[in-house]
Amino acid sequence: NAGVMQNPRHLVRRRGQEARLRCSPMKGHSHVYWYRQLPEEGLKFMVYLQKENIIDESGMPKERFSAEFPKEGPSILRIQQVVRGDSAAYFCASSPTSGARDTQYFGPGTRLTVL
Amino acid sequence: SQQGEEDPQALSIQEGENATMNCSYKTSINNLQWYRQNSGRGLVHLILIRSNEREKHSGRLRVTLDTSKKSSSLLITASRAADTASYFCATWGGSEKLVFGKGTKLTVNP
């Protein structure tokens, strides 16, 4: 059973460009979470999705950021018009059930660098 | 808002010694989880302890939870150089997200 897959692993964008980060959850998991980690910091929750639904986006900036988890295909975190402050590691996690009552399995992360 | 906060921020020990890391949080929780992160890598789940549990073991790991003090500790016994990593506690209070602390950076010197 493959783990959580994220791609790309590294992404470089210039200010004003768009960044698209992809996450494929573990097989059988229908709950996906996105977290952001700034250097020397812990992870901060951004958004929680189930298939075709955003359940909790309380950690997501109101502008430029969006997330989706379509019926088919990976979950996508999109950042429009990136700024230098968006440089961070973005982690996706999945779980078979809702909430964090059980283990969330994390992917290797996408490291975004904005020039 | 509830937040796990680990201490110390950094810990350096010799191989074979025990390493103890602490985590404090602010509000009531359903469970507390510990994760390890090697430099530049993703998170690896180590152990989950539920609010009605006081102690849990997994191999060389021992986790305690004191809900009256809102604190948890992670003990790694007989440490190895490969244990060098950052360790995070994360709490779940019933919402749909984990709340992470800033982590303890552990260095085990050979």
Side-chain angles (χ1 to χ4, degrees), chain B residues 3-107:
Chain B
Q3 179 181 18
E5 291 193 9
E6 296 89 343
D7 82 272
Q9 290 186 356
L11 180 62
S12 182
I13 60 174
Q14 295 299 123
E15 212 166 20
E17 294 180 339
N18 295 343
T20 300
M21 288 159 270
N22 302 297
C23 168
S24 61
Y25 55 92
K26 294 178 183 176
T27 61
S28 61
I29 61 170
N30 292 75
N31 69 48
L32 185 146
Q33 306 182 34
W34 284 91
Y35 287 83
R36 183 185 73 219
Q37 183 180 37
N38 290 83
S39 180
R41 310 292 287 273
L43 273 74
V44 174
H45 183 263
L46 296 177
I47 200 162
L48 180 155
I49 186 165
R50 302 190 191 280
S51 60
N52 61 353
E53 297 175 310
R54 291 296 167 259
E55 189 170 309
K56 210 159 181 183
H57 296 255
S58 176
R60 292 184 297 111
L61 305 180
R62 173 177 168 254
V63 168
T64 62
L65 179 64
D66 187 335
T67 51
S68 66
K69 294 180 180 177
K70 292 186 168 56
S71 68
S72 172
S73 68
L74 170 67
L75 168 68
I76 304 174
T77 60
S79 63
R80 305 166 183 167
D83 294 328
T84 294
S86 290
Y87 292 81
F88 295 91
C89 70
T91 54
W92 178 55
S95 66
E96 303 298 339
K97 59 196 177 211
L98 288 173
V99 180
F100 285 82
K102 292 187 177 181
T104 292
K105 187 174 283 188
L106 173 67
T107 302

Side-chain angles (χ1 to χ4, degrees), chain A residues 86-106:
Chain A
D86 297 333
S87 295
Y90 292 82
F91 290 94
C92 165
S94 73
S95 68
T97 58
S98 65
R101 58 179 62 85
D102 290 304
T103 301
Q104 290 186 9
Y105 296 87
F106 282 79

Side-chain angles (χ1 to χ4, degrees), chain A residues 4-6 21-26 31-36 43 47 49 75 77 89-94 104-110, chain B residues 43:
Chain A
V4 178
M5 312 278 281
Q6 287 187 252
L21 288 63
R22 285 176 288 277
C23 168
S24 297
M26 286 181 70
H31 302 264
V32 166
Y33 312 81
W34 285 94
Y35 295 84
R36 177 166 64 178
L43 277 68
V47 62
L49 310 102
S75 176
L77 178 68
Y90 292 82
F91 290 94
C92 165
S94 73
Q104 290 186 9
Y105 296 87
F106 282 79
T110 294
Chain B
L43 273 74

Side-chain angles (χ1 to χ4, degrees), chain A residues 13-91:
Chain A
R13 286 286 178 266
R14 296 191 180 280
R15 280 180 297 170
Q17 292 184 320
E18 177 180 287
R20 290 170 69 88
L21 288 63
R22 285 176 288 277
C23 168
S24 297
M26 286 181 70
K27 189 176 180 181
H29 289 192
S30 58
H31 302 264
V32 166
Y33 312 81
W34 285 94
Y35 295 84
R36 177 166 64 178
Q37 184 180 33
L38 296 171
E40 306 301 321
E41 296 278 325
L43 277 68
K44 294 284 194 291
F45 168 82
M46 297 182 75
V47 62
Y48 161 47
L49 310 102
Q50 294 180 28
K51 283 284 187 183
E52 300 184 275
N53 288 304
I54 296 174
I55 306 302
D56 181 355
E57 56 182 347
S58 58
M60 195 110 93
K62 294 284 186 286
E63 297 177 355
R64 303 188 297 108
F65 285 72
S66 62
E68 61 178 16
F69 188 16
K71 189 176 180 181
E72 302 290 337
S75 176
I76 306 284
L77 178 68
R78 184 198 299 180
I79 311 172
Q80 296 178 299
Q81 299 175 327
V82 295
V83 301
R84 288 221 174 98
D86 297 333
S87 295
Y90 292 82
F91 290 94

